[in-house]
Amino acid sequence: MTPLEEIMKRIDGLPAAEAAEIVRAEREQCNQRRLDLIEKASDLTRQLAACEAADKPNPKMIERLRGFRDRANDERQAVTDEASVLNALLLDIEGMPIPATSAKPAVSIEPVK
């Protein structure tokens, strides 16, 4: 069962407010995983740069670091896609957001005579 199917099963039959809370919590977990993966990829990129800039670069280590970084980026993209699906599900549950009215007073610019 995919994570989305599990979430759908958990929220089936729940009131909209409870279902939205569950989906929102799952989305926050996705966002936290995404941030962790961004940090991991960033760290691997720094290690890769240091390895490439070494006096005697190690081709095997460079290739391994690139592979680790690519996997971290692929996983980050999958988590980002999952969060996008959860955003769409949340919009389905709660409906489209209503734009906020502007707090600024209406001002018109008139030429000075």
Side-chain angles (χ1 to χ4, degrees):
M1 187 178 287
T2 67
L4 181 60
E5 289 171 339
E6 289 176 19
I7 294 168
M8 294 300 288
K9 186 176 179 180
R10 284 178 49 203
I11 65 172
D12 188 36
L14 291 177
E18 289 179 38
E21 191 60 36
I22 290 171
V23 172
R24 200 173 286 111
E26 291 291 331
R27 182 186 62 185
E28 285 304 314
Q29 288 179 357
C30 282
N31 286 335
Q32 188 57 52
R33 281 197 325 256
R34 184 179 61 83
L35 292 174
D36 292 344
L37 288 165
I38 288 170
E39 182 62 33
K40 180 179 178 180
S42 177
D43 183 50
L44 288 168
T45 299
R46 282 191 290 276
Q47 290 179 32
L48 179 61
C51 193
E52 289 175 335
D55 290 337
K56 294 183 181 179
N58 182 341
K60 288 183 181 180
M61 180 58 84
I62 290 171
E63 198 58 39
R64 280 185 65 200
L65 288 171
R66 279 193 184 127
F68 290 150
R69 184 186 61 184
D70 290 346
R71 281 192 292 282
N73 282 328
D74 291 345
E75 189 176 343
R76 177 199 46 82
Q77 185 59 51
V79 169
T80 300
D81 293 345
E82 184 180 338
S84 295
V85 170
L86 291 174
N87 282 335
L89 179 59
L90 192 57
L91 285 174
D92 284 345
I93 292 170
E94 294 183 327
M96 295 300 282
I98 300 170
T101 57
S102 176
K104 294 180 182 179
V107 178
S108 65
I109 299 174
E110 297 180 16
V112 178
K113 295 181 181 180

